[in-house]
Amino acid sequence: MKVVIVNMNDGGGGAAIAAMRLMHALRKQNIEAQVLVLKKSTQDPYVISMGNHKWTQWKAYIYFLLEHLLIFLNNGFSKSDLFRVSLSYLGFDISKHPCIVEADIIHLHWVNKSFLSYSAIQKLVNLGKPVVWTMHDMWVATAMCHHARDCEKFKTTCDHCFYLHAKDWMSLTSRTYQSKKNIFAAHIPQLVCCSEWLQKRIAGSSILDTHNALVIPNPINIEIYAKKNKRISQAAFKLDPTQFYILFCAAKVTDDRKGLNYLIEALQILKQKYPHYFANMQVVVVGTANNELQTLFPCQIRTPGFISDEQMMVTLYNAVDVFVTPSLDENLPNTIMEAMACGTPCIGFATGGIPEMITHKETGYIAKYQSAEDLANGIVWIFEHAEKCNLSQKSICKVQHLYTEQIVANQYVALYEQMQMQD
């Protein structure tokens, strides 16, 4: 069986990481899987690029600029929320690419940022081959937003998107809604949601027939992400073993969707209410940040920067005491899965698929949504927990029970085989 996984890129971003991990998990089950991307950034031999030559990349960049100029116009010339929506009016036709022609299964993942246009997706659907679409956010089920938050318009006509701050003078949302609805008028790909939350959230989409949406999580290699000696791991980052370390990760640390302000506020609460605990706390911040980051925190922080090396990240997960992710929009965060696989308890808001991953007060703490005070309560709960080894072991066991490469790959293989039989 030949499977082609289609994703915008092969490095950077949760969807790219998940797509690459799935490809390797499938290959371990003797499935001929490849990943087709717009631009290849890794050296992986099983990743095929649409073309890294300059013209292809310039074309993609021009497409990207034109689409976001249109969004900018409809956003009242505001940069706010500019990248919370994607249009996919422009993109590349991959229907005749050798990977697609030879594939038995076409498996779409994240195809935005001027990779696939609506017409290109339509051509893939029209090939008559089994098409699976793993949703890493809500975009497939809405006119153009990636996370609808409390909006329910995608269940009707999805018009006048709340992310656009100006009057929708070109009926942008209505036109994008109709373009996407036309794609699935005759045939809807087999939808896969990474979390139960997403499956429930897209229910009732007027664009899709969501009754057949399945839930299959992202996989993780537990041979790489595993428990290591804490003291040795701390020594690698020159961390003081007498301190309590809180880890925060984000590609762009100051992205408001990642909720850094809630963590900072939680630390200020701890400083006031639990000064004896706070005195022994430090924060490790991973990701791209400016030099003024230290001034935002009421405590000492470590900033190793953006870490791309997998083994180094595993070491850091093992070196800290808790991983905190106060994100406002999430599906099934790879970072939580990685931390849990390393035996590190996690804290996150009750949003997206996070409550499915963290078992409240068993493998970590689920804080009330957008509550810095409850985030602080979670940190205190982990700090005071007498049986940290038990927390660690339960975290590892949950990953081994739900998210291993073999478990996830087997679910996808069974789906592929079922779809081939139906055809």
Side-chain angles (χ1 to χ4, degrees):
M1 184 189 300
K2 292 184 178 181
V3 177
V4 57
I5 294 172
V6 181
N7 197 75
M8 196 278 291
N9 60 350
D10 59 339
I17 292 170
M20 291 293 290
R21 288 177 179 174
L22 176 60
M23 181 268 287
H24 287 293
L26 289 171
R27 294 196 71 86
K28 289 179 181 179
Q29 300 302 312
N30 298 316
I31 301 296
E32 292 185 52
Q34 293 180 311
V35 178
L36 179 62
V37 299
L38 177 58
K39 182 180 179 181
K40 181 175 179 177
S41 60
T42 69
Q43 300 301 314
D44 196 299
Y46 303 113
V47 175
I48 310 299
S49 173
M50 278 292 296
N52 281 6
H53 46 81
K54 290 184 178 180
W55 170 237
T56 301
Q57 299 312 313
W58 270 109
K59 193 175 180 181
Y61 184 61
I62 292 169
Y63 286 169
F64 179 79
L65 287 180
L66 289 174
E67 287 200 345
H68 282 82
L69 176 60
L70 183 57
I71 297 169
F72 184 61
L73 292 172
N74 278 266
N75 207 24
F77 302 98
S78 171
K79 294 181 180 179
S80 177
D81 296 329
L82 186 60
F83 299 102
R84 305 292 170 86
V85 298
S86 295
L87 298 182
S88 292
Y89 285 171
L90 303 171
F92 296 84
D93 178 9
I94 63 171
S95 61
K96 297 179 182 179
H97 192 282
C99 282
I100 300 296
V101 174
E102 296 170 7
D104 300 305
I105 303 287
I106 300 170
H107 192 157
L108 303 178
H109 282 253
W110 203 83
V111 297
N112 301 121
K113 207 171 181 181
S114 302
F115 183 19
L116 299 188
S117 64
Y118 295 120
S119 61
I121 296 170
Q122 180 80 68
K123 289 179 180 179
L124 292 178
V125 172
N126 290 344
L127 288 175
K129 296 186 178 187
V131 178
V132 179
W133 199 332
T134 293
M135 301 172 61
H136 294 279
D137 54 36
M138 291 183 65
W139 185 80
V140 181
T142 70
M144 57 187 184
C145 75
H146 293 278
H147 286 282
R149 296 195 172 175
D150 295 331
C151 179
E152 298 288 324
K153 288 184 177 179
F154 67 93
K155 295 182 179 181
T156 53
T157 58
C158 212
D159 58 350
H160 301 290
C161 181
F162 71 94
Y163 280 119
L164 299 181
H165 302 287
K167 186 178 180 181
D168 195 6
W169 57 273
M170 292 181 67
S171 300
L172 185 62
T173 46
S174 298
R175 289 192 294 113
T176 53
Y177 166 83
Q178 194 59 51
S179 295
K180 195 176 289 184
K181 193 172 179 64
N182 290 341
I183 295 173
F184 306 126
H187 178 70
I188 295 177
Q190 173 61 61
L191 303 175
V192 175
C193 302
C194 299
S195 65
E196 293 177 7
W197 165 81
L198 185 58
Q199 182 193 47
K200 294 174 183 176
R201 189 70 186 93
I202 67 169
S205 167
S206 57
I207 294 174
L208 302 170
D209 178 5
T210 56
H211 76 275
N212 70 333
L214 302 176
V215 178
I216 302 178
N218 300 324
I220 190 168
N221 187 338
I222 59 173
E223 293 180 3
I224 295 175
Y225 290 90
K227 184 77 173 174
K228 290 186 175 183
N229 184 281
K230 186 169 185 175
R231 292 291 176 261
I232 295 175
S233 298
Q234 288 180 328
F237 283 90
K238 298 181 180 179
L239 302 184
D240 183 352
T242 65
Q243 296 290 294
F244 181 86
Y245 287 97
I246 301 166
L247 176 62
F248 173 86
C249 298
K252 183 182 179 183
V253 171
T254 54
D255 184 344
D256 59 2
R257 292 173 298 177
K258 298 303 178 181
L260 178 64
N261 289 338
Y262 291 97
L263 175 58
I264 293 171
E265 186 180 346
L267 291 167
Q268 291 169 340
I269 292 171
L270 291 172
K271 185 177 182 179
Q272 294 174 358
K273 296 179 66 174
Y274 302 94
H276 51 301
Y277 290 169
F278 183 78
N280 295 312
M281 291 182 180
Q282 293 187 29
V283 180
V284 181
V285 179
V286 174
T288 304
N290 55 41
N291 296 329
E292 289 76 35
L293 189 64
Q294 175 66 73
T295 62
L296 301 176
F297 282 83
C299 63
Q300 183 178 351
I301 66 171
R302 304 291 187 96
T303 53
F306 184 82
I307 299 176
S308 58
D309 183 84
E310 216 171 19
Q311 289 297 340
M312 187 180 294
M313 200 64 220
V314 169
T315 301
L316 183 56
Y317 281 128
N318 277 276
V320 300
D321 296 282
V322 62
F323 174 65
V324 178
T325 176
S327 295
L328 304 181
D329 295 324
E330 286 292 356
N331 183 9
L332 197 79
N334 292 315
T335 49
I336 290 180
M337 193 183 298
E338 292 165 1
M340 289 177 63
C342 294
T344 302
C346 301
I347 300 173
F349 283 142
T351 185
I354 291 176
E356 299 168 37
M357 306 181 79
I358 304 171
T359 305
H360 187 53
K361 293 190 174 181
E362 285 190 24
T363 66
Y365 191 95
I366 297 295
K368 296 175 184 177
Y369 187 59
Q370 293 185 313
S371 171
E373 185 172 354
D374 204 26
L375 206 63
N377 292 338
I379 295 172
V380 170
W381 187 82
I382 300 291
F383 188 94
E384 293 180 333
H385 204 281
E387 299 179 359
K388 290 184 174 60
C389 289
N390 192 31
L391 276 178
S392 179
Q393 190 55 44
K394 285 185 176 180
S395 296
I396 294 170
C397 285
K398 186 163 186 178
V399 171
Q400 292 177 344
H401 181 67
L402 296 175
Y403 306 130
T404 66
E405 289 182 312
Q406 183 175 358
I407 289 173
V408 174
N410 284 343
Q411 292 179 70
Y412 271 116
V413 172
L415 174 60
Y416 298 154
E417 291 176 343
Q418 179 185 352
M419 294 181 71
Q420 283 187 310
M421 289 176 62
Q422 290 173 348
D423 282 0

